[in-house]
Amino acid sequence: MSRRIARVQLDSPLPQLDRLFDYALPAELGDVSPGVRVRVPLRSAGRLVDGYVVEVAEEDDAERPLSEVDNVVSQIAVLPDRLYRLARRTADRAAGSASDILRLVIPKRQVRVEKAWKADAPVPVLGPDAIARASAVLSEYEGLSAVLEERGRAGVEAIPGIRDDMPRWTQLLAAAATHTLAAGASSILVVPDHRDLDRLLTALETMLPAEAIVRHDSRQTNPDRYRGFLRSLEDAPCVVVGNRSAVYSPVRAGLVAIWDDGDSLLGEPLAPYVHARDAALLRQEQESSALLVAAHSRTTDVERLVIHGWLQDVRAARRVLPKVVLSTQHELEAPTQRVHSSAFAAARTATESGPVLVQVSRPGFSPTLVCAECRAPARCAPCGGPLGARHRGAVPVCGWCGRSARAWACPSCSSTQLRLASSGSERTADELGRAFPGVRVIIADGAHPVESVSDKPALVVATRGAEPIAEGGYRAVVLLDGSRMLQAPDLRVGESCLRWWSNAAALAAPGAPIHLVGVDGPVARALATWNQSGYARSELAERAPLHMPPAARVALIEGIGASVERALTSLRALPLPADAILGPVPIESDEDRVRALVRFEYAAGATVATTLRAAVVAEAVKRRRGKAGNNRIPLSLRLDILDPEL
């Protein structure tokens, strides 16, 4: 005698539950479709948990003891097979759980939205004008139309500049999505933050009807996000645009495009920590969609794929080279001088005709204070955090705990006098305001968000990544604090600085000067020659002998000493190089826990991920069978860390 069974993916963060469980389907539930939400009993915990039906099958062994599905939460299939396979494959590559991936993309159920949903969205109709404009934009790039038509993969060097008061990169992605939609397929456009999202939506609205655009944004209300998710389940093609988790949208994608993959916001901070670029690569391979990874400054990750032939190198048919002027630290007249005389003169001339952008590294007035006598860094007595000033003459405030230090005294020399050691956006604006009397000064940073400025004369002092769009483009761009940015203890600091500076330079008007102050060396030369891919290639060559990412994959293992050692023992049984494992070493903030790094080639990725995942599951099971109330995770891991703590 046969019976119906459902294979269910549980919505649980426990690693030992990351597999399909068989449940019997009672007759009273009627027809149950794959992809629907269900509630099922969990015998070990004696409670009901949420899950998704992945498969429905007939089983001949009706005597096998199985628990029954308790109820079907909704008849809507929110987990298509293609989404489950993507989540499963992505999680396996990162040694994580599929349910953690699904939690990022499938919103919580909204009953009212479900009842109002009719699943009858019409196929978008595009006018000939929109298609013609999209074709004109795509023709600016050599071979890009062929990549889209053949559903190939490409790393695209975006043309810098502003056109029609929109960044040209937004028109690039909008044109690619329009081309794909005209061919009857959906697109997924992934951008780092809400500023990029709003700018891209503006460009899309000039080419596509509103009903063809689906927004995927953490700022949306729960009903709006669920409404957009349901739209992406329909057969009618659409364009999904959103932040990093939008890459998992359940549409049948004909195109997946990632903008500015070097931005840290595209790295998922939740387990299993999969970068949107890596998820897009897996998705393209699974669905045979087109894939574009576009940026002004190419990352080493993308350059590695170009070198290996996995991505086609797409550039402008006619290159646009910004006018970059370098001034080294030796050319500054004083060690404390921040603006070179040539940059100052260019800014003064440019403010006569329009806005000038001044990029700085930090927000605030003076993020760092030092002792006026011995120059020792001023620290907060209770927590040891750095002291800063919110304005000239202000009481020092700790940057960590927020306490005021009214009675501060230097522990080294007992002096009570402080000195401003750094300049944030507000102090820079204050100083430039005095140097440029009569010129409006605008601050743009996290505390003072500014989306756009007019073409009237102004000095716009912005932190990196917070630069507003200027009408007609900036008449000059001055990049300050470059030497300070390059001093960050970060494996990718050169890449990051080149990306920040390139994105700022891309906001300049045609022919406007871009002054990089106080920096020389390979990064400065790459910006001056607009050869970011060449810099990425040289960085790869330097990292390869050290087996540092992305020349090799790196896993971070943390946990209780004995658990980490058992995981490393299982890895030592694999054919890995003798120097593959670094550590373990104690974690300073927790003496009971240790940390280790494992470096391995991409070809060994599946074996290493499977081995580490088995170790995590084994430790989780052992912990559950041990003492109750022990809530400490014995072993955690993270694959493909971008900047290992050397």
Side-chain angles (χ1 to χ4, degrees):
M1 183 178 178
S2 64
R3 62 176 172 180
R4 291 187 310 156
I5 64 169
R7 295 189 173 94
V8 178
Q9 171 71 51
L10 301 181
D11 184 8
S12 171
L14 299 178
Q16 62 268 37
L17 300 182
D18 182 40
R19 59 185 178 87
L20 296 183
F21 287 81
D22 288 354
Y23 286 89
L25 285 170
E28 57 266 24
L29 290 182
D31 291 334
V32 177
S33 302
V36 299
R37 304 180 201 249
V38 292
R39 297 273 289 170
V40 295
L42 193 62
R43 287 189 298 174
S44 60
R47 58 187 174 88
L48 294 176
V49 297
D50 295 322
Y52 305 95
V53 176
V54 175
E55 299 175 23
V56 176
E58 291 285 335
E59 181 183 61
D60 293 332
D61 184 11
E63 301 300 322
R64 183 166 64 110
L66 286 181
S67 298
E68 292 186 342
V69 173
D70 185 78
N71 67 83
V72 176
V73 177
S74 168
Q75 293 295 338
I76 297 177
V78 295
L79 180 59
D81 178 65
R82 59 184 178 275
L83 176 56
Y84 171 74
R85 287 187 290 112
L86 176 62
R88 182 71 273 165
R89 187 177 181 192
T90 305
D92 288 344
R93 186 182 187 275
S97 298
S99 61
D100 289 336
I101 299 289
L102 296 177
R103 209 172 295 122
L104 297 173
V105 61
I106 302 179
K108 291 185 178 179
R109 185 187 180 215
Q110 304 291 317
V111 178
R112 290 185 179 180
V113 175
E114 276 192 5
K115 290 181 178 179
W117 182 54
K118 298 180 180 179
D120 59 354
V123 175
V125 178
L126 304 183
D129 180 60
I131 297 175
R133 283 189 288 132
S135 299
V137 173
L138 296 178
S139 66
E140 297 174 341
Y141 293 86
E142 185 115 19
L144 183 54
S145 295
V147 170
L148 295 174
E149 291 168 4
E150 298 168 6
R151 296 202 171 183
R153 302 177 292 256
V156 184
E157 183 184 282
I159 299 175
I162 302 292
R163 183 166 57 193
D164 300 329
D165 294 331
M166 290 181 286
R168 293 184 67 170
W169 70 262
T170 63
Q171 297 173 336
L172 163 65
L173 265 60
T178 301
H179 180 93
T180 304
L181 195 63
S186 296
S187 298
I188 300 174
L189 310 180
V190 182
V191 295
D193 61 23
H194 68 92
R195 294 163 57 86
D196 296 321
L197 179 59
D198 291 340
R199 292 168 182 173
L200 181 54
L201 284 170
T202 300
L204 285 168
E205 290 164 359
T206 65
M207 294 188 181
L208 300 176
E211 62 270 17
I213 303 171
V214 177
R215 182 171 184 158
H216 180 98
D217 184 7
S218 60
R219 295 178 297 167
Q220 291 176 295
T221 62
N222 290 335
D224 283 344
R225 186 177 181 192
Y226 194 53
R227 192 175 292 111
F229 175 79
L230 293 179
R231 171 64 181 88
S232 64
L233 291 172
E234 299 185 34
D235 292 332
C238 62
V239 177
V240 178
V241 54
N243 303 135
R244 54 180 176 258
S245 58
V247 73
Y248 301 107
S249 176
V251 296
R252 296 183 184 274
L255 166 67
V256 179
I258 307 288
W259 168 251
D260 204 12
D261 67 296
D263 195 310
S264 60
L265 292 176
L266 289 177
E268 179 57 56
L270 302 176
Y273 314 105
V274 179
H275 195 284
R277 177 189 57 243
D278 295 334
L281 287 164
L282 292 172
R283 178 162 195 161
Q284 191 280 333
E285 195 174 13
Q286 173 180 299
E287 300 183 358
S288 298
S289 63
L291 172 64
L292 303 181
V293 186
H296 292 127
S297 183
R298 182 171 293 172
T299 60
T300 50
D301 307 84
V302 172
E303 185 62 21
R304 185 187 73 86
L305 295 172
V306 170
I307 292 173
H308 288 289
W310 189 256
L311 292 178
Q312 182 178 333
D313 189 1
V314 171
R315 300 169 184 260
R318 184 177 181 180
R319 297 197 72 195
V320 176
L321 300 179
K323 179 183 176 182
V324 180
V325 181
L326 302 180
S327 57
T328 66
Q329 191 69 37
H330 301 294
E331 294 174 341
L332 298 177
E333 298 174 4
T336 57
Q337 183 181 355
R338 297 178 68 206
V339 184
H340 190 268
S341 56
S342 62
F344 189 89
R348 183 175 295 281
T349 301
T351 51
E352 297 175 359
S353 59
V356 171
L357 174 63
V358 180
Q359 186 196 71
V360 296
S361 62
R362 297 180 179 183
F365 189 81
S366 181
T368 307
L369 298 175
V370 298
C371 173
E373 295 296 330
C374 68
R375 300 296 192 270
R379 296 283 180 181
C380 173
C383 75
L387 295 181
R390 292 174 178 166
H391 56 81
R392 195 177 300 276
V395 175
V397 176
C398 177
W400 290 357
C401 67
R403 291 187 178 95
S404 299
R406 297 181 180 276
W408 179 86
C410 178
S412 300
C413 67
S414 301
S415 172
T416 58
Q417 300 300 312
L418 288 165
R419 176 187 177 90
L420 303 178
S422 63
S423 296
S425 56
E426 295 178 23
R427 184 183 178 190
T428 303
D430 180 64
E431 294 171 346
L432 290 177
R434 292 197 298 269
F436 290 79
V439 178
R440 183 187 179 195
V441 179
I442 301 171
I443 299 175
D445 55 25
H448 310 88
V450 180
E451 294 300 325
S452 61
V453 296
S454 69
D455 59 354
K456 296 180 180 179
L459 281 169
V460 181
V461 181
T463 52
R464 55 202 180 195
E467 303 91 350
I469 301 294
E471 184 179 347
Y474 289 101
R475 279 42 170 190
V477 175
V478 180
L479 306 172
L480 301 181
D481 304 332
S483 58
R484 178 185 295 275
M485 293 183 190
L486 286 169
Q487 291 172 2
D490 184 334
L491 177 69
R492 295 175 180 254
V493 64
E495 274 185 76
S496 298
C497 289
L498 187 55
R499 185 179 66 81
W500 292 325
W501 298 335
S502 298
N503 288 344
L507 300 177
I514 295 134
H515 286 261
L516 177 60
V517 180
V519 181
D520 54 8
V523 185
R525 289 194 295 271
L527 181 70
T529 57
W530 208 250
N531 186 20
Q532 293 89 341
S533 60
Y535 176 80
R537 189 167 295 221
S538 65
E539 280 286 291
L540 273 175
E542 291 182 5
R543 295 179 200 174
L546 302 174
H547 304 292
M548 286 288 105
R553 296 181 68 185
V554 179
L556 172 66
I557 307 174
E558 290 185 351
I560 300 169
S563 299
V564 172
E565 187 55 43
R566 283 191 288 269
L568 295 180
T569 299
S570 63
L571 286 176
R572 293 188 183 103
L574 302 178
L576 297 178
D579 61 348
I581 298 174
L582 302 178
V585 296
I587 298 176
E588 295 181 1
S589 58
D590 192 339
E591 297 179 355
D592 296 332
R593 297 174 71 83
V594 298
R595 168 185 299 151
L597 292 176
V598 182
R599 302 174 296 178
F600 53 98
E601 299 298 326
Y602 286 81
T607 304
V608 172
T610 301
T611 303
L612 288 176
R613 184 61 176 172
V616 169
V617 172
E619 294 298 328
V621 172
K622 186 178 298 184
R623 168 195 172 201
R624 182 168 181 80
R625 292 174 178 171
K627 296 180 179 179
N630 182 12
N631 294 323
R632 303 199 69 186
I633 299 176
L635 185 68
S636 64
L637 60 93
R638 180 170 181 171
L639 269 67
D640 297 310
I641 54 174
L642 300 180
D643 181 31
E645 298 182 33
L646 302 179

